[in-house]
Amino acid sequence: MEQQNDCSIQRGQQLRRYPNDYKEGHSSTLSKTMTSQPQYSNTGRPTVRIAVYLMTGVFLTMEVEQNATAQQIFTIVQSEAELGLSRFSSATITSIFALWMCSSQLEVQLRPTHKPVELAAKWNYLVNKYISHTEDPDDEEPLLYFRRNIFLSKLEEEQIKDTKILELLYAEAKYNVLQGRYACDGPSRYASLGALQARIELGPYNAQTHTLAFFHRHRGRFLPHHYASPSLLLGLGLGLGLVGGKGAPEAHLLEQYKRIPSHNGSANANPKKLIRKYLEFCWNLPCYGAAFFQGQIERPVRGLASWITNRDMQVLIAINTSGVYIVDDMQCSLLLGLKYSELSWEMAKPSDENNPDCLPCLFLQFPVRENGARVYKILQVFSRQAPMMDTLISGFAEDYRRQFINSDSSNDQLDHPLVFSNGSFTNKLSKFTLATFDDEGRCIGQMGSWSFR
């Protein structure tokens, strides 16, 4: 406790709101603090001023010693009165939230013993190590975030009742929905979430203000980015600023928004209830609570010309306590979902570690039913972040085995599509280049570069 008090210097601690474009040119990034003139604490040790960002659109500035640990900085954040977290024990809050260091291409949840200021100083080295393609790693300036703990299970989160905590979790879930990370199974799902968000943030429906034109102008605020892209909007007759018809995504959102009761006295219209309802919807999404990693997969090859011009497809690999998922975040589409009950995996180092184009990879093996027989498919995912993914999968898979080692129920679902309570999802195997093996381990099908092995 004595060491924690030494490092928890809070002179000028302030909670501020940041604009939507706060990331561009912001002077409070951790890396920039390293070049500022050092100050000194009453112990004579150097201090720096840093900012910790919350997903609710506020950031907390504080002065800490350069060797402050993530746990010490976390304690300062928890003590901020306006956040309403100080009344909980440290163990409770650290089980729900954690400090993350993030830039546009790399996201890392920090251990309590990590030293964020020191880690920021070598961020460019980490980007070069774990990112395959970046135009200028020197531009990758990290920000420090207070976000959901990746190790918090959905079951544990569902037990949370506190409004302040749920508001923080809602803000993060909303961000991931709008970024295309929490892929839904159809436009109506996004409209439902957008309508709930509108009711929470705009209040009751007002026919004079909340028109179709309003939601057309602000569609990027309530719908994922792929619904606001010019190519899609042109196809819907919206590309020139025209208001869409009944089939437009914002039209579906508006119709659902109108149906939400307008009186806050209603149990279904209370903002606190609506925030929980939004989260309850997200809890049923496959990728909820995941850590996201960048990778690439080989596109299926069709014809010689396709092979010559074929390029790998950039994807996100989402890993949470339930399974491993492949996401096309540009199209907000979930391509593959594998629960730990059906997943086998192996990490492979690059054959030529001196070749920057030779990447480590993850081999993901899973069973499917094909022509009446059970076979096994193997997908190869290339990524410099494969070692990080391997470590996380290993931990979650071990937890799964400990919980279900005496249960045979998980084996009943091996040959079926993944099914979720808010809809069903079928793996889009046609999007992948796969190898196929039978029960005896013989290769009975090859695609793409697998054919040259």
Side-chain angles (χ1 to χ4, degrees):
M1 291 301 295
E2 182 178 351
Q3 181 184 10
Q4 190 174 75
N5 290 336
D6 284 345
C7 287
S8 299
I9 301 167
Q10 302 180 50
R11 292 195 298 270
Q13 179 176 324
Q14 296 182 45
L15 192 65
R16 304 173 181 171
R17 181 161 296 277
Y18 56 80
N20 292 332
D21 59 351
Y22 72 97
K23 290 183 180 179
E24 298 182 8
H26 200 279
S27 61
S28 295
T29 57
L30 280 174
S31 57
K32 288 185 179 179
T33 64
M34 302 301 297
T35 61
S36 60
Q37 186 69 26
Q39 304 296 315
Y40 294 89
S41 68
N42 53 12
T43 64
R45 291 192 286 265
T47 66
V48 293
R49 194 161 190 81
I50 65 171
V52 180
Y53 292 85
L54 284 74
M55 304 305 289
T56 51
V58 300
F59 66 91
L60 181 66
T61 61
M62 64 188 76
E63 189 174 338
V64 299
E65 293 178 0
Q66 286 188 341
N67 66 346
T69 65
Q71 182 59 57
Q72 290 164 343
I73 295 172
F74 186 99
T75 300
I76 296 175
V77 176
Q78 184 183 351
S79 68
E80 170 58 41
E82 189 175 331
L83 299 182
L85 303 179
S86 58
R87 64 182 182 277
F88 298 97
S89 69
S90 177
T92 297
I93 298 303
T94 53
S95 70
I96 301 172
F97 298 105
L99 287 185
W100 289 68
M101 189 169 288
C102 307
S103 63
S104 63
Q105 300 191 72
L106 183 62
E107 303 178 8
V108 179
Q109 178 172 312
L110 304 185
R111 298 192 187 98
T113 55
H114 274 139
K115 297 180 179 180
V117 176
E118 294 181 5
L119 193 61
K122 59 180 181 180
W123 192 252
N124 292 338
Y125 164 79
L126 295 174
V127 170
N128 278 317
K129 181 178 180 179
Y130 290 114
I131 299 299
S132 302
H133 303 288
T134 180
E135 294 181 1
D136 187 358
D138 293 337
D139 290 339
E140 284 286 298
E141 294 179 347
L143 296 177
L144 196 57
Y145 282 94
F146 186 84
R147 291 183 6 182
R148 186 186 187 278
N149 189 331
I150 177 62
F151 299 105
L152 177 69
S153 71
K154 294 181 187 178
L155 182 60
E156 291 171 322
E157 184 171 335
E158 289 169 2
Q159 309 308 311
I160 297 173
K161 306 298 183 185
D162 181 77
T163 301
K164 291 290 187 179
I165 294 177
L166 291 176
E167 286 175 352
L168 291 170
L169 294 170
Y170 157 76
E172 186 168 345
K174 178 185 68 174
Y175 170 84
N176 284 311
V177 168
L178 296 177
Q179 290 296 311
R181 292 182 163 193
Y182 287 174
C184 295
D185 59 355
S188 63
R189 304 291 181 181
Y190 289 117
S192 298
L193 287 169
L196 282 172
Q197 180 192 338
R199 181 62 179 81
I200 293 166
E201 299 177 10
L202 302 177
Y205 167 70
N206 183 321
Q208 302 301 316
T209 304
H210 304 135
T211 62
L212 187 55
F214 171 86
F215 283 107
H216 173 63
R217 289 194 304 273
H218 298 282
R219 57 184 175 269
R221 177 179 171 184
F222 301 102
L223 292 168
H225 61 79
H226 74 304
Y227 282 123
S229 64
S231 58
L232 175 62
L233 295 175
L234 281 170
L236 295 172
L238 304 177
L240 299 177
L242 302 175
V243 178
K246 292 183 178 180
E250 56 264 40
H252 291 298
L253 186 158
L254 177 57
E255 287 304 313
Q256 297 204 38
Y257 178 39
K258 290 179 180 178
R259 298 192 192 111
I260 300 176
S262 58
H263 299 292
N264 285 336
S266 168
N268 294 324
N270 184 296
K272 297 178 183 179
K273 297 286 187 181
L274 292 171
I275 285 175
R276 186 168 186 88
K277 188 174 182 64
Y278 189 101
L279 283 169
E280 287 173 350
F281 189 107
C282 290
W283 290 336
N284 289 316
L285 297 177
C287 296
Y288 184 79
F292 291 87
F293 302 87
Q294 296 190 8
Q296 56 198 69
I297 59 173
E298 184 181 344
R299 296 179 189 270
V301 176
R302 295 179 177 87
L304 180 60
S306 298
W307 171 251
I308 295 173
T309 61
N310 187 61
R311 293 183 178 180
D312 285 351
M313 176 182 178
Q314 301 297 318
V315 294
L316 290 178
I317 301 92
I319 301 172
N320 61 17
T321 57
S322 300
V324 179
Y325 309 90
I326 307 296
V327 179
D328 178 358
D329 63 319
M330 293 302 296
Q331 298 299 321
C332 300
S333 174
L334 180 59
L335 304 178
L336 179 68
L338 302 171
K339 294 186 177 181
Y340 295 115
S341 60
E342 59 183 354
L343 170 67
S344 299
W345 82 99
E346 184 174 343
M347 194 202 81
K349 294 182 178 180
S351 56
D352 182 1
E353 295 190 11
N354 295 321
N355 183 354
D357 295 324
C358 193
L359 304 178
C361 68
L362 278 181
F363 291 98
L364 303 178
Q365 176 181 295
F366 52 96
V368 300
R369 181 68 63 177
E370 193 170 83
N371 298 322
R374 186 165 78 167
V375 298
Y376 295 87
K377 300 287 186 179
I378 295 182
L379 171 67
Q380 193 171 11
V381 180
F382 300 92
S383 174
R384 292 197 189 280
Q385 299 175 26
M388 301 166 68
M389 291 187 274
D390 179 52
T391 299
L392 194 56
I393 294 171
S394 297
F396 285 147
E398 181 60 31
D399 288 343
Y400 171 83
R401 281 192 289 269
R402 282 199 298 265
Q403 293 175 33
F404 297 100
I405 193 166
N406 296 321
S407 173
D408 296 326
S409 60
S410 59
N411 296 325
D412 297 337
Q413 300 179 0
L414 292 183
D415 301 328
H416 303 286
L418 301 183
V419 178
F420 306 98
S421 61
N422 70 331
S424 62
F425 162 74
T426 302
N427 289 327
K428 301 175 177 63
L429 299 186
S430 63
K431 300 287 187 180
F432 301 102
T433 295
L434 302 166
T436 306
F437 293 81
D438 63 15
D439 270 332
E440 298 181 2
R442 294 173 299 199
C443 184
I444 58 176
Q446 299 169 314
M447 299 173 63
S449 59
W450 286 99
S451 303
F452 294 88
R453 295 175 187 273

